[in-house]
Amino acid sequence: MLKIDLLRHGQSTLSHTLRGSTDDDLTELGWSQMQHSIDQSLHAQDNEAVPWDVIFSSPLKRCRLFADRIAQQIEKPVFYHANLQEMHFGDWEALSTQYIYENEPELLANFWQQPTLFSPPNAETMQNFHLRVINGLTNIQQQMQANHWQHALLVTHGGVIKLLKCIALKHTLDDLLKMSAELGQLNAFILHEDGALAFVEHSA
């Protein structure tokens, strides 16, 4: 049984859009949102020990740069996994939902209601996104087991967290966009040996 805490990146320069795989930067507020969640978690330790053995991160800047900082702060190794990246939104990359609503309202409504059946134009499908994230989690599990790491911090994106919450809570993937994953906040999961996932709490 392994523990994984998923930290969503904080506010970024394109937070008002579907930035997906667009590599935008954190704002100052985004940095502080993430640091606040980490500090809360560190201060919650009775013996003041660092809770995490290792850090895994999406390679996108809004995750990677903060992961680098925390790895130095707590003196733990950090690894980058492309499978932890956000869903790619195709032609909707870096567009605001307001703009999409004004130009393609039916497509947007279909995607919001049934993302397993409707994808943005030229986007990653929900099925491919699901497969990619699960493959990434399996690789992380194997890496943790090989190194006897029990507790990992994953710095990632809202879509990844929502997907894993759907799986852990046994919801259909069409509920993914209804799940919560607040900017800069931690969500805790238990990863069982057989790959089963359990959602523990909203941590921060």
Side-chain angles (χ1 to χ4, degrees):
M1 190 173 74
L2 304 174
K3 295 180 181 179
I4 54 172
D5 293 336
L6 273 68
L7 175 68
R8 186 184 180 190
H9 64 78
Q11 182 192 76
S12 62
T13 55
L14 294 175
S15 275
H16 61 292
T17 72
L18 297 178
R19 53 219 178 281
S21 59
T22 303
D23 203 8
D24 62 333
D25 290 290
L26 290 170
T27 64
E28 286 189 23
L29 174 60
W31 281 96
S32 64
Q33 287 170 328
M34 299 171 81
Q35 189 66 54
H36 177 71
S37 291
I38 293 297
D39 289 345
Q40 276 193 322
S41 191
L42 291 175
H43 294 155
Q45 303 302 307
D46 294 334
N47 58 4
E48 298 187 359
V50 173
W52 305 293
D53 303 308
V54 61
I55 300 169
F56 298 100
S57 176
S58 158
L60 296 181
K61 288 185 291 185
R62 57 189 184 271
C63 296
R64 172 174 52 84
L65 297 181
F66 185 83
D68 286 343
R69 174 195 281 185
I70 294 305
Q72 292 179 357
Q73 178 184 335
I74 66 175
E75 299 180 334
K76 298 294 181 180
V78 58
F79 300 90
Y80 308 104
H81 281 255
N83 284 339
L84 292 178
Q85 284 189 194
E86 183 59 281
M87 175 185 280
H88 176 63
F89 290 109
D91 294 355
W92 290 358
E93 280 282 320
L95 298 179
S96 69
T97 52
Q98 181 63 33
Y99 177 87
I100 300 166
Y101 176 74
E102 291 170 357
N103 290 273
E104 300 178 293
E106 187 174 345
L107 278 178
L108 182 64
N110 288 340
F111 174 61
W112 236 248
Q113 291 164 14
Q114 289 186 293
T116 60
L117 297 180
F118 299 95
S119 299
N122 299 309
E124 184 175 22
T125 66
M126 181 63 71
Q127 289 78 9
N128 286 343
F129 178 57
H130 172 257
L131 181 62
R132 169 165 67 80
V133 173
I134 292 303
N135 285 342
L137 194 63
T138 300
N139 291 338
I140 286 170
Q141 182 180 24
Q142 292 169 347
Q143 200 171 347
M144 289 179 70
Q145 290 169 336
N147 289 278
H148 306 290
W149 293 323
Q150 295 298 311
H151 197 170
L153 174 66
L154 278 59
V155 186
T156 186
H157 305 266
V160 174
I161 295 169
K162 292 176 181 182
L163 174 69
L164 295 183
K165 285 177 81 168
C166 273
I167 294 168
L169 298 172
K170 295 180 170 55
H171 281 242
T172 170
L173 292 181
D174 279 324
D175 288 342
L176 184 146
L177 298 171
K178 302 169 189 171
M179 294 288 166
S180 63
E182 301 299 323
L183 288 169
Q185 292 196 336
L186 283 161
N187 289 269
F189 293 83
I190 297 293
L191 184 57
H192 294 278
E193 192 169 352
D194 62 358
L197 196 65
F199 178 61
V200 179
E201 60 181 307
H202 192 72
S203 300

